[in-house]
Amino acid sequence: SFLRERGFEVISCPEVYTILASNGLSAGFYSTDGMDIVIQNTVLDVQISLEDSLENVLKARGKPAVLLCDRGPMDGKAYLATEKWLKILESRGVTEVDLRDN
């Protein structure tokens, strides 16, 4: 309400993993070999898409705006071994700086 009272449009971007987990993605999925990378790639895909889509909505309004993100594209790094995280980045042709700053 602080930002809205000052004329900003505000949208919150939820945490993607929670959305997936509350719709059937369970810890049991990780028992399949290689699923940690598949799941983190999926989370990253949805997170980026959701953030970009909500940003487009705010831009279309043409007013000062703030997009509040519960989590972000870098979250996967905390849940994977370094080599697996780097494999995801390499497969996407991005760096951590790209994810963090874009």
Side-chain angles (χ1 to χ4, degrees), residues 3-61:
L3 292 170
R4 287 186 180 100
E5 290 170 359
R6 284 152 181 79
F8 288 89
E9 297 283 338
V10 180
I11 293 181
S12 296
C13 183
E15 178 194 9
V16 169
Y17 190 87
T18 298
I19 294 170
L20 298 175
S22 65
N23 286 283
L25 180 73
S26 71
F29 283 52
Y30 287 95
S31 65
T32 302
D33 199 34
M35 283 300 287
D36 54 349
I37 292 177
V38 172
I39 290 170
Q40 288 305 322
N41 249 321
T42 300
V43 169
L44 186 54
D45 287 341
V46 176
Q47 186 72 44
I48 290 169
S49 179
L50 188 53
E51 288 180 15
D52 289 349
S53 297
L54 292 174
E55 180 182 6
N56 289 339
V57 168
L58 289 171
K59 284 180 178 178
R61 293 279 293 155

Side-chain angles (χ1 to χ4, degrees), residues 80-92:
L80 292 172
T82 300
E83 61 274 1
K84 290 181 178 183
W85 174 247
L86 293 175
K87 182 178 178 180
I88 287 176
L89 297 181
E90 183 181 329
S91 72
R92 292 168 173 271

